């Protein structure tokens, strides 16, 4: 995308679509969103207005707390000329047992889009089924598409491409591992998911991502040896060992994940110009060392910033 005309033209074809997973989008649509994100980022950096959602309102449902998701969506809507409403489970009737389908139909009459960050992915699917407006998945226990779109934007900025790159993820086979497989597959990457035994990613996600990877010249590989998995990696990625809602498993997981850390040993076997990503928040000294996250290969804070630009692209296109 290079002109506002192109944005409006594709906006008509993608307007109203839900953004639940990168698996739901074609490779061309994903790269279109990345082009929109790059253009909106350039406009923001130049201080030029880009009020594409003038007068529009985003309802933001949070049953999981967040720093980056809330701030980036709220600021993003403001920069696009719209407004955002923060709706915690304590503030709306969902927290008192109202059916999701009722909330979906009511909000559809008040706002122009819904972003939801919650636990069960099925809740987001149901919300999207009954809403007459676009629903954006801000995170579920299964998937995290907004984060991975920002990750792909960061990779393109620092590597100039995605096709043929090796991306090694070290950690739990969680929502990040799942969405990285989906996004990496569509982007033509060789994605290696390295987990302790017993913490592998969902088999159906692996199957679907493998099909997409084959169609786009990439691959999906599961491994259990972090050093072997990291050899010649162009991109290294990690996440916390115990995600929100898994606090009760923290001690068990701390034992199981020993050695599954991005540290000096891992950096030595990856490519010298590898970039290090982390979706944050980071537990320094657990899944990643302070030395690495503060080191010259880390682009973690560029990645965090790109949540803003990637999500603005999503909102501008579907809303």
């Amino acid at each position: 995308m290079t002109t506002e005309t192109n944005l409006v033209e594709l906006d008509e074809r993608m307007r109203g679509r839900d953004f639940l997973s990168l698996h739901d989008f074609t490779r061309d649509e994903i790269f279109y969103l990345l082009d929109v994100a790059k253009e909106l980022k350039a406009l923001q950096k130049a201080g030029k207005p880009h009020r594409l959602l003038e007068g529009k309102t985003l309802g933001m449902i949070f049953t999981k707390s967040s720093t980056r998701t809330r701030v980036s969506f709220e600021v993003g809507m403001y920069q696009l000329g719209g407004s955002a409403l923060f709706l915690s489970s304590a503030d709306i009737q969902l927290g008192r047992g109202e059916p999701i389908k009722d909330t979906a139909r009511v909000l559809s009459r008040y706002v122009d889009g819904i972003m939801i960050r919650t636990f069960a992915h099925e809740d987001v699917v149901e919300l999207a089924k009954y809403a007459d407006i676009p629903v954006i998945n801000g995170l579920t226990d299964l998937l995290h598409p907004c984060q991975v779109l920002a990750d792909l934007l960061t990779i393109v900025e620092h590597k100039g491409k995605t096709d043929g790159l090796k991306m090694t993820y070290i950690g739990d086979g969680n929502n990040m591992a799942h969405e990285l497989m989906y996004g990496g597959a569509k982007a033509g990457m060789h994605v290696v998911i390295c987990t302790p035994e017993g913490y592998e990613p969902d088999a159906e996600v692996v199957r679907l991502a493998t099909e997409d990877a084959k169609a786009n010249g990439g691959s999906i590989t599961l491994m259990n040896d972090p050093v072997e998995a990291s050899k010649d990696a162009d991109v290294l990625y990690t996440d916390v060992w115990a995600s929100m809602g898994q606090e009760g498993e923290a001690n068990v997981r701390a034992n199981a994940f020993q050695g599954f850390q991005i540290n000096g040993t891992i950096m030595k076997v990856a490519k010298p110009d590898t970039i290090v990503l982390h979706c944050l928040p980071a537990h320094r000294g657990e899944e990643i060392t302070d030395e690495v996250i503060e080191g010259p290969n880390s682009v973690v804070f560029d990645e965090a910033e790109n949540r803003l630009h990637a999500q603005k692209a999503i909102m501008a296109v579907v809303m």
Side-chain angles (χ1 to χ4, degrees):
M1 186 195 76
T2 57
T3 69
E4 186 174 324
T5 302
N6 287 341
L7 173 61
V8 173
E9 176 191 343
L10 236 169
D11 193 26
E12 292 300 322
R13 301 205 300 268
M14 296 179 71
R15 178 176 296 171
R17 286 194 51 187
D18 299 315
F19 189 81
L20 306 189
S21 171
L22 292 177
H23 180 66
D24 300 332
F25 291 80
T26 67
R27 174 185 166 93
D28 286 346
E29 288 170 340
I30 291 170
F31 278 95
Y32 170 72
L33 286 169
L34 293 176
D35 284 344
V36 175
K38 286 186 279 187
E39 185 166 328
L40 293 178
K41 183 174 183 177
L43 290 171
Q44 191 258 335
K45 294 293 185 184
K48 295 181 180 179
H50 42 285
R51 301 175 69 84
L52 301 173
L53 297 180
E54 189 83 49
K56 303 257 185 181
T57 303
L58 177 74
M60 306 189 302
I61 299 174
F62 284 85
T63 63
K64 276 190 175 184
S65 59
S66 169
T67 299
R68 279 151 292 278
T69 300
R70 178 177 179 181
V71 175
S72 56
F73 269 106
E74 206 161 314
V75 171
M77 275 302 290
Y78 173 80
Q79 292 180 358
L80 289 169
S83 59
L85 297 172
F86 174 76
L87 306 169
S88 77
S89 55
D91 298 325
I92 59 177
Q93 296 299 326
L94 269 180
R96 300 178 61 197
E98 181 176 61
I100 290 172
K101 60 185 178 182
D102 290 1
T103 296
R105 288 180 286 202
V106 170
L107 288 180
S108 294
R109 300 185 180 212
Y110 293 152
V111 299
D112 303 286
I114 302 170
M115 188 285 300
I116 179 169
R117 179 181 171 94
T118 191
F119 292 89
H121 189 73
E122 295 76 15
D123 290 350
V124 178
V125 173
E126 184 177 2
L127 187 72
K129 177 181 177 181
Y130 288 96
D132 296 325
I133 54 178
V135 171
I136 299 170
N137 177 8
L139 173 142
T140 66
D141 285 346
L142 183 68
L143 299 172
H144 200 354
C146 292
Q147 177 66 57
V148 175
L149 190 68
D151 297 338
L152 293 176
L153 177 60
T154 309
I155 292 167
V156 169
E157 287 179 341
H158 286 272
K159 291 294 184 180
K161 64 175 186 176
T162 56
D163 286 300
L165 296 182
K166 177 180 178 180
M167 174 168 61
T168 297
Y169 168 89
I170 299 172
D172 188 21
N174 60 10
N175 49 8
M176 280 310 314
H178 294 157
E179 199 69 59
L180 285 168
M181 286 190 287
Y182 279 157
K186 292 288 175 79
M189 301 180 75
H190 299 292
V191 182
V192 179
I193 303 296
C194 182
T195 68
E197 291 185 10
Y199 292 90
E200 290 84 1
D202 180 83
E204 179 64 6
V205 174
V206 173
R207 184 186 71 79
L208 293 172
T210 299
E211 290 179 357
D212 284 341
K214 288 179 179 177
N216 292 291
S219 62
I220 304 293
T221 305
L222 304 186
M223 299 182 71
N224 303 114
D225 183 338
V227 175
E228 189 66 28
S230 302
K231 286 182 178 177
D232 298 320
D234 298 285
V235 180
L236 291 170
Y237 203 116
T238 191
D239 189 13
V240 295
W241 293 340
S243 298
M244 197 176 300
Q246 297 174 330
E247 290 83 0
E249 304 173 31
N251 291 335
V252 172
R253 285 173 169 266
N255 291 325
F257 283 81
Q258 286 301 312
F260 285 79
Q261 178 189 74
I262 298 184
N263 51 32
T265 300
I266 297 297
M267 296 301 294
K268 286 177 183 176
V269 300
K271 289 183 178 177
D273 63 346
T274 190
I275 58 172
V276 176
L277 300 175
H278 192 306
C279 54
L280 299 179
H283 293 171
R284 300 179 185 219
E286 291 185 8
E287 74 275 3
I288 192 168
T289 63
D290 194 74
E291 174 189 22
V292 170
I293 202 169
E294 297 290 352
N297 298 84
S298 172
V299 295
V300 166
F301 297 103
D302 292 346
E303 174 192 14
E305 178 191 340
N306 280 338
R307 285 289 300 278
L308 171 66
H309 308 299
Q311 290 161 190
K312 282 168 66 177
I314 296 165
M315 292 188 290
V317 169
V318 304
M319 289 175 66

